[in-house]
């Protein structure tokens, strides 16, 4: 019985939102909202905006880092929208808008050349780097936004160099096409991470609604900015640099806020190195905080996963060395300063993780200043030592991590070897 004398029958809740009560009084069943009337009105307004801009079932239907990421992503989108307005104005001025001497044909050719080079750049970048965008989504996401700012800066400067205007805008068009591929693909990868109920489509749709609202706000602010920056290059550049700093800072905070529970090469190496150092297993949150978010070039010992057999062993003797004391469905070798991993046809996800752990272990040994002169025999001794370390320390790495799948950058070669190990 409640205070009104009604008999309580049941309560219901929509997700984590408002609670409703079912009660019966004088034989009539009533449905009432729990809480005060003022609180109910406030909840109705909040609930409306949640249903419009957030995925159904929020926050249970998304990852724990969703709100923080979306906040910084919204801020970067707003600043990018304002920077884009300044760049668009400069591009239009460069092709002759407002100039009586400019011809429609010249402006059209310039625009077509910019779009055409951008299309070619999109195809080439997707061909060369498409497979890397899943495994290093954070790095390529940040790279795309930095490149986007560079492209907009080039568009703003282009009208001041009329002799090179077409070349500059075409180069900027190539950069923006790369941004489109890298930004869109990495956003899809992050959506897969955020979706906790296989609701990728809903999250993508609501992300589009959020971005549209931000762009609308940016459009309104841009209407106020355009009269101020017209024919004022100093103010244009000053505002652009201000928005760019805000844009890059928000992007850095956004990718830093993402906590992925699956292993890629960087996170797996960080977890393994910490465990070998003091026996502590890093949680996904700790490992993600240590993960580098900027692209790194010229790594000392590159690791190639899923290579051909001849990249590991180029003779039957070397194949026997690779199989020595090895009962795992992968082979590991060192060739031309590169650690190569050859995967067997029956290797599981756990085997893939173990192979990557052993490769990272070998990389650490090679970078040690006390390592012996890297003759071919010494290199195989390093491989055998890494096998022993994996036998002793590998199993605990799985605690707290999602091992149903990985984001390791494996190539497609798979090998079935016939020589037995010894």
């Amino acid at each position: 019985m409640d205070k009104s004398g009604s008999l309580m029958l049941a309560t219901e809740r929509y997700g984590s939102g408002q609670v409703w009560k079912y009660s019966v009084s004088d034989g009539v069943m009533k449905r009432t909202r729990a809480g005060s009337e003022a609180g109910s009105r406030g909840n109705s307004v909040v609930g409306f905006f949640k249903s419009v801009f957030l995925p159904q079932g929020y926050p249970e239907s998304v990852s724990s880092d969703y709100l923080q990421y979306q906040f910084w992503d919204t801020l970067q989108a707003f600043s990018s929208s304002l920077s884009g307005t300044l760049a668009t104005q400069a591009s239009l001025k460069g092709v002759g808008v407002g100039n009586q001497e400019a011809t429609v044909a010249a402006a059209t050719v310039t625009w077509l050349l910019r779009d055409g080079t951008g299309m070619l750049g999109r195809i080439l970048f997707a061909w060369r780097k498409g497979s890397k965008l899943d495994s290093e989504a954070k790095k390529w996401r940040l790279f795309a936004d930095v490149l986007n700012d560079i492209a907009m800066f080039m568009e703003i400067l282009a009208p001041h160099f009329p002799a090179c205007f077409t070349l500059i805008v075409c180069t900027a068009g190539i950069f923006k096409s790369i941004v489109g591929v890298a930004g869109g693909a990495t956003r899809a990868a992050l959506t897969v991470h955020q979706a906790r109920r296989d609701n990728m489509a809903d999250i993508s749709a609501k992300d589009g609604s959020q971005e549209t609202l931000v762009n609308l706000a940016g459009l309104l602010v841009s209407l106020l900015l355009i009269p101020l920056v017209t024919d004022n290059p100093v103010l244009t550049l000053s505002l652009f640099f201000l928005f760019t700093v805000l844009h890059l800072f928000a992007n850095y905070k956004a990718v830093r806020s993402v906590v992925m529970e699956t292993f890629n090469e960087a996170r797996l190496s960080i977890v393994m190195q910490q465990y070998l150092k003091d026996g502590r297993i890093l949680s996904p949150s700790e490992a993600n905080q240590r993960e580098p978010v900027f692209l790194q070039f010229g790594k000392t010992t590159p690791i190639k996963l899923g290579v051909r057999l001849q990249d590991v062993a180029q003779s039957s003797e070397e194949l026997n060395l690779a199989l020595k004391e090895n009962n795992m469905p992968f082979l590991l070798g060192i060739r031309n300063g590169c650690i190569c991993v050859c995967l067997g046809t029956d290797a599981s996800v756990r085997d893939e993780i173990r192979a990557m752990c052993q490769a990272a272990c070998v990389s650490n040994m090679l970078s040690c200043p006390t390592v012996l002169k890297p003759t071919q025999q010494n290199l195989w001794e390093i491989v055998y030592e890494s096998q022993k370390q994996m036998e002793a320390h590998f199993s605990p790495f799985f605690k707290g991590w999602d091992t149903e799948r990985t984001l390791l950058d494996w190539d497609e070669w798979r090998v079935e070897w016939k020589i037995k190990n010894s």
Side-chain angles (χ1 to χ4, degrees):
M1 299 286 289
D2 61 15
K3 295 180 180 179
S4 63
S6 301
L7 177 63
M8 183 67 64
L9 297 178
T11 60
E12 66 180 4
R13 179 194 302 270
Y14 185 78
S16 57
Q18 182 64 47
V19 177
W20 293 80
K21 298 180 180 179
Y22 288 89
S23 60
V24 61
S25 178
D26 299 328
V28 179
M29 188 171 71
K30 299 179 179 179
R31 181 177 182 264
T32 57
R33 192 194 305 264
S36 63
E37 184 177 349
S40 299
R41 286 197 296 268
N43 288 333
S44 297
V45 174
V46 172
F48 171 75
F49 280 99
K50 286 177 65 175
S51 65
V52 172
F53 294 107
L54 294 176
Q56 180 176 319
Y58 172 87
E60 290 83 4
S61 63
V62 294
S63 59
S64 58
D65 55 14
Y66 176 83
L67 188 61
Q68 186 177 4
Y69 175 83
Q70 293 301 124
F71 170 78
W72 291 112
D73 189 54
T74 297
L75 183 59
Q76 70 85 18
F78 178 73
S79 56
S80 180
S81 176
L82 298 180
S83 298
T85 298
L86 301 177
T88 300
Q89 185 190 38
S91 295
L92 293 175
K93 181 179 179 181
V95 297
V97 174
N99 185 356
Q100 295 181 352
E101 297 180 359
T103 63
V104 175
T108 303
V109 169
T110 300
W111 219 257
L112 290 176
L113 286 173
R114 190 194 72 159
D115 289 347
T117 53
M119 293 174 187
L120 291 176
R122 180 185 296 268
I123 295 172
L124 291 174
F125 179 77
W127 167 51
R128 296 297 299 171
K129 296 297 182 181
S131 62
K132 307 289 185 183
L133 301 179
D134 280 304
S135 58
E136 297 182 334
K138 295 182 186 180
K139 294 180 181 180
W140 285 106
R141 180 73 178 179
L142 191 57
F143 169 82
D145 288 297
V146 172
L147 193 62
N148 188 51
D149 289 333
I150 294 174
M152 288 190 290
F153 181 60
M154 294 175 65
E155 289 178 340
I156 290 176
L157 291 182
H160 302 286
F161 301 92
C164 302
F165 178 81
T166 301
L167 176 62
I168 294 174
V169 296
C170 286
T171 304
I174 294 174
F175 287 174
K176 283 195 169 184
S177 68
I178 294 174
V179 170
V181 176
T186 53
R187 186 66 188 96
L190 293 175
T191 299
V192 173
H193 157 70
Q194 291 173 336
R196 288 297 184 259
R197 296 179 180 173
D198 293 329
N199 54 336
M200 284 82 75
D202 187 25
I203 292 177
S204 295
K206 297 302 169 57
D207 181 67
S209 297
Q210 295 169 23
E211 187 171 351
T212 300
L213 181 64
V214 171
N215 289 337
L216 180 60
L219 178 64
L220 296 177
V221 176
S222 298
L223 292 175
L224 301 176
L225 286 180
I226 289 175
L228 300 176
V229 301
T230 302
D231 298 324
N232 192 339
V234 175
L235 182 58
T236 298
L237 287 174
S238 300
L239 289 175
F240 175 77
F241 282 120
L242 175 63
F243 297 145
T244 298
V245 170
L246 180 61
H247 179 238
L248 295 178
F249 174 75
N251 268 293
Y252 176 79
K253 296 291 289 184
V255 296
R256 270 291 176 215
S257 68
V258 176
V259 180
M260 290 188 167
E261 300 89 359
T262 49
F263 284 123
N264 66 355
E265 181 178 334
R267 290 189 289 272
L268 186 55
S269 297
I270 291 169
V271 172
M272 188 203 70
Q273 290 172 12
Q274 184 66 42
Y275 182 78
L276 294 177
K277 180 180 179 181
D278 58 14
R280 186 166 67 93
I281 302 171
L282 295 179
S283 66
S285 178
E286 292 173 313
N288 277 266
Q289 285 301 311
R290 300 186 187 185
E291 180 186 5
V293 294
F294 295 101
L295 289 175
Q296 298 171 314
F297 300 96
K299 290 191 294 185
T300 54
T301 310
I303 299 174
K304 295 182 179 180
L305 306 174
V307 301
R308 297 171 297 181
L309 179 61
Q310 69 179 21
D311 293 325
V312 174
Q314 296 186 345
S315 65
S316 59
E317 291 78 11
E318 287 190 341
L319 181 56
N320 283 325
L321 289 173
L323 289 166
K324 182 181 177 181
E325 301 177 7
N326 179 17
N327 58 359
M328 302 304 299
F330 60 84
L331 301 177
L332 190 146
I334 305 170
R335 180 74 55 187
N336 298 325
C338 178
I339 302 171
C340 300
V341 182
C342 181
L343 200 63
T345 55
D346 57 344
S348 64
V349 174
R350 183 186 179 96
D351 296 324
E352 293 178 4
I353 296 175
R354 177 162 180 159
M356 180 62 222
C357 282
Q358 186 174 340
C361 184
V362 171
S363 178
N364 288 340
M365 293 179 181
L366 290 174
S367 62
C368 180
T370 60
V371 71
L372 297 174
K373 185 180 179 180
T375 63
Q376 195 62 35
Q377 184 60 37
N378 290 339
L379 293 179
W380 285 113
E381 291 297 330
I382 292 174
V383 172
Y384 302 150
E385 180 61 28
S386 67
Q387 291 175 359
K388 295 176 182 178
Q389 289 201 17
M390 288 299 100
E391 291 291 340
H393 302 292
F394 174 67
S395 295
F397 290 165
F398 291 102
K399 295 179 181 177
W401 289 84
D402 177 13
T403 57
E404 295 297 320
R405 63 187 185 94
T406 70
L407 294 175
L408 299 173
D409 185 25
W410 288 95
D411 206 345
E412 296 302 312
W413 292 102
R414 297 296 181 268
V415 180
E416 185 175 355
W417 46 85
K418 303 299 182 181
I419 301 178
K420 297 184 179 295
N421 60 321
S422 57

